[in-house]
Amino acid sequence: MPNTFEAFHVKSSGGGYDVVIGDVVDLVSQAGLSDMVVLADVRFKGRLPVGEDRAILIQSDETEKSLERMAPLIERMKAMGVNRKTHVVAVGGGIIQDIATFVASIYMRGLRWTYVPTTLLAMVDSCIGGKSSINVGKLKNLVGGFHPPEKVIVDTRFVDTLDNQQIIDGLCEAAKICYARGVFSDFHAAVANKTTTADLARDIVLRSLSSKRWFVEEDEFDQGVRLLLNFGHTFGHAIEAASDFRVSHGVAVGIGILVAHVRAERAGRYSRGRNPTFDALASYVETLLYNLPGLTDVLTSLRPMDVVSKFEGDKKHWADRFRVVIPVDGDHLELTEFPRSETERSEISEAFAGAFARVGASMSRV
Ligand SMILES: NC(=O)c1ccc[n+]([C@@H]2O[C@H](COP(=O)([O-])OP(=O)(O)OC[C@H]3O[C@@H](n4cnc5c(N)ncnc54)[C@H](O)[C@@H]3O)[C@@H](O)[C@H]2O)c1
Ligand SMILES: [Zn+2]
């Protein structure tokens, strides 16, 4: 399939951008960028479309996407002669994307850029939407902005080198997006029928991105319906942070979906058996996560008070109320508020414990 590609357009305030699925080498050379600098995951060293003098290689770990690390990166770009005409090409997963979006938005008041996602999670979710999220110390995704790329190039062959957990990361996010858009049943049938990874990736990317595109175009700046895509995230971020990021983002979101489910049931907002599509989503996520090597050990080692305290620190809450997306009767999602109270803290802790049990882990009671 190297020379065939599919493309679609995403409308945004900056005029919009194209997402193209095809061969990255062909597509970058066709773009004819005369002055470019590549920000890439260090794992792609020696495989980039530019010489080493035009590439900045970055280790993809959470400490690299922190505000503290942005100044040295910007100084390095300046030393390389990057100017307002330079086009940034970012090659990597969500960490490289967050760094590139942020730096491209502020360097000399903004550079044009192209994104090449290399993880399934980035291909199915983060590559569109234009958001950057940067950590401040240990505070995850505290600062950021919106600066969409000029083009997104999805080359699904990058999926070939991902491990099982990285594939599950992408599947959890894609399943969540498709459920939020009301097309989970089609997604579910498609993943069950595809056997090869490349085939599967192409199909999932198209389903997931066309669903996400609807949210991004309806609510580019995250003020209304796009907030539903935070489903699984407020709970998931708490698991990522409490585990010192030993639980990866997509897996944490998968568990977060189950936490939301338990909390909704305990609040009397959700009845099992009356929401067939959500029941199918929850059981799909459980199947992906159950027996994922190492996961139960990490989850079992977490202290409930740490998980709840990370949950409390999420930026989406109000001063007196927690705000979370939960599944509700009628088989849809709702942004709901719970009072910040001792009773609610213990409910949240119970919901984490219930979700951990569903993926084969137990949570200590202290
Ligand atoms: N800005 C957004 O809209 C948005 C949305 C979702 C997630 N995120 C952020 O993205 C990050 C998670 O991103 P992620 O899971 O895509 O990956 P990542 O960038 O964290 O990378 C995970 C690992 O995969 C490796 N990797 C990358 N491509 C590979 C390939 N083709 N083969 C083998 N290994 C490869 C990386 O080197 C790294 O070790 C989190 O920081 C999350 O907060 C941002
Ligand atoms: Zn996510």
Side-chain angles (χ1 to χ4, degrees), residues 41 43-44 60 62 65 93-95 97-98 118-119 121-122 125-126 131 140-141 158 161-162 166 249:
D41 186 315
R43 73 172 52 245
F44 301 115
S60 286
E62 288 287 335
K65 65 162 230 184
I95 288 184
Q97 178 194 345
D98 274 333
T118 64
T119 60
L121 182 133
D125 179 16
S126 60
K131 275 196 223 173
K140 166 110 176 148
N141 291 348
F158 281 110
T161 51
L162 299 174
Q166 291 171 313
H249 181 72

Side-chain angles (χ1 to χ4, degrees), residues 33-50:
L33 303 168
S34 53
D35 178 8
M36 74 171 148
V37 64
V38 175
L39 301 188
D41 186 315
V42 68
R43 73 172 52 245
F44 301 115
K45 185 175 173 27
R47 290 189 277 154
L48 298 170
V50 285

Side-chain angles (χ1 to χ4, degrees), residues 1 26 29 80 85 160 166 192-193 215 239 278 338 340 343 354 360:
M1 86 184 108
D26 285 357
S29 61
M80 288 168 82
K85 293 215 158 85
D160 295 345
Q166 291 171 313
N193 290 334
F215 287 97
I239 296 167
F278 186 83
F338 292 108
R340 253 184 214 263
T343 315

Side-chain angles (χ1 to χ4, degrees), residues 83-335:
N83 61 62
R84 298 184 77 172
K85 293 215 158 85
T86 308
H87 194 100
V88 175
V89 177
V91 183
I95 288 184
I96 300 294
Q97 178 194 345
D98 274 333
I99 294 170
T101 313
F102 190 73
V103 169
S105 71
I106 56 173
Y107 188 92
M108 296 187 180
R109 297 211 184 82
L111 299 177
R112 292 155 60 212
W113 71 292
T114 291
Y115 180 41
V116 181
T118 64
T119 60
L120 186 60
L121 182 133
M123 290 179 199
V124 300
D125 179 16
S126 60
C127 70
I128 66 171
K131 275 196 223 173
S132 66
S133 301
I134 294 290
N135 307 330
V136 179
K138 290 218 166 216
L139 302 169
K140 166 110 176 148
N141 291 348
L142 189 67
V143 298
F146 288 87
H147 187 64
E150 196 168 275
K151 184 176 271 186
V152 177
I153 297 174
V154 181
D155 187 331
T156 53
R157 291 171 306 176
F158 281 110
V159 169
D160 295 345
T161 51
L162 299 174
D163 64 24
N164 186 37
Q165 175 240 293
Q166 291 171 313
I167 298 286
I168 291 175
D169 279 332
L171 291 174
C172 287
E173 288 276 18
K176 173 214 72 180
I177 293 168
C178 290
Y179 180 77
R181 184 70 187 108
V183 296
F184 175 74
S185 301
D186 295 343
F187 166 90
H188 202 195
V191 287
N193 290 334
K194 293 279 184 304
T195 47
T196 69
T197 312
D199 242 15
L200 185 66
R202 197 181 181 83
D203 191 317
I204 291 169
V205 166
L206 286 167
R207 284 175 196 281
S208 184
L209 289 186
S210 57
S211 298
K212 181 164 176 184
R213 175 173 62 165
W214 181 84
F215 287 97
V216 169
E217 290 185 343
E218 282 290 309
D219 174 26
E220 183 177 1
F221 298 111
D222 235 354
Q223 300 298 312
V225 73
R226 188 172 170 185
L227 290 169
L228 293 181
L229 294 183
N230 283 324
F231 183 38
H233 279 63
T234 313
F235 297 117
H237 286 155
I239 296 167
E240 281 181 275
S243 70
D244 253 329
F245 302 105
R246 282 177 296 155
V247 179
S248 59
H249 181 72
V251 168
V253 167
I255 303 167
I257 288 171
L258 302 177
V259 181
H261 187 193
V262 178
R263 183 68 199 95
E265 276 190 306
R266 289 178 65 93
R269 303 292 316 278
Y270 183 98
S271 335
R272 221 177 278 212
R274 285 183 36 208
N275 300 284
T277 313
F278 186 83
D279 287 344
L281 170 71
S283 107
Y284 175 69
V285 169
E286 266 173 44
T287 312
L288 289 177
L289 300 179
Y290 205 87
N291 286 335
L292 184 62
L295 180 61
T296 47
D297 288 348
V298 178
L299 294 181
T300 303
S301 74
L302 302 182
R303 295 190 326 150
M305 58 187 289
D306 291 340
V307 181
V308 174
S309 130
K310 297 291 184 196
F311 168 81
E312 281 205 55
D314 195 281
K315 61 181 181 287
K316 296 279 183 330
H317 302 312
W318 300 138
D320 58 341
R321 281 158 294 158
F322 296 130
R323 293 203 313 155
V324 286
V325 178
I326 57 169
V328 293
D329 283 340
D331 223 340
H332 65 272
L333 298 175
E334 190 181 284
L335 179 60

